[in-house]
Amino acid sequence: MRPCAPSSTRPAGPATTCATTALSALAEQEAWEELCRYPAQAADSVPADELNLCKNPAVDGAAGRYSSLSRQHGVPFSCQLDLPAQLPVSEMEVCVVLQNLLENALEASRKAEGQRFIRLRASLRGDNLVLLTVENAYSGQLVEQDGVLQSTKRPGPGVGLQSVARVAGKNRGYCRFLYGSGVFTANVMLRGVRN
């Protein structure tokens, strides 16, 4: 994996796609305060030059945004993205998954004691499986209730992880969350239509 190190403003295409995805996800979650704050936050965190981390501009935009945010917060971010320009599943849904996972990873890594990091991997298996893995540092106790991870921000299940699970289920895939020894790992598989 290589560290991602962008500088200042990205062309509108990928950033616009990711912004639209993020805004839609926030509206779906009825996160009205976050929805109102999002445009200013996004404008401050858009990386300067095209990263070209992968051939898919939307995924490139999401990874670039969180690479920039991670760098701003002193969290090392590495990625290995091997995705084509055309995905076998909805680009918007891949971005919803990535943004939820990377947002959680950044928040947890910022609070982590000791080594902080985020590692992102994404690839295509065969011609119809999109595989995503996000690993990050965390500190503290994670709580599961009836097999569902609970939010560290408010009482109840984690909204972002529920959204990830919903997208995975809709795409005949799965998601698995593992944690221990200060490392949280999210594995997601989305199944598209065979070509």
Side-chain angles (χ1 to χ4, degrees), residues 1-6 51 53 67 75-80 118:
M1 275 197 247
R2 64 179 179 171
C4 302
L51 288 178
L53 300 171
S67 171
V75 176
F77 185 100
S78 62
C79 55
Q80 182 178 351
I118 298 172

Side-chain angles (χ1 to χ4, degrees), residues 52-60 81-87 91:
N52 293 317
L53 300 171
C54 72
K55 293 178 183 173
N56 183 278
V59 172
D60 188 65
L81 303 177
D82 187 20
L83 293 174
Q86 295 295 317
L87 299 175
E91 206 171 72

Side-chain angles (χ1 to χ4, degrees), residues 79-147:
C79 55
Q80 182 178 351
L81 303 177
D82 187 20
L83 293 174
Q86 295 295 317
L87 299 175
V89 296
S90 162
E91 206 171 72
M92 181 170 33
E93 291 178 330
V94 172
C95 281
V96 165
V97 169
L98 274 179
Q99 289 173 333
N100 276 298
L101 295 178
L102 291 171
E103 182 70 30
N104 287 350
L106 180 58
E107 183 173 328
S109 290
R110 286 179 61 196
K111 295 176 183 175
E113 299 167 2
Q115 186 179 6
R116 303 174 341 158
F117 65 89
I118 298 172
R119 292 188 285 257
L120 166 62
R121 289 188 308 274
S123 62
L124 192 62
R125 176 80 37 93
D127 62 356
N128 72 324
L129 298 179
V130 175
L131 306 176
L132 306 167
T133 299
V134 176
E135 295 176 312
N136 60 271
Y138 79 94
S139 294
Q141 186 82 16
L142 296 181
V143 176
E144 278 190 54
Q145 185 175 344
D146 299 323

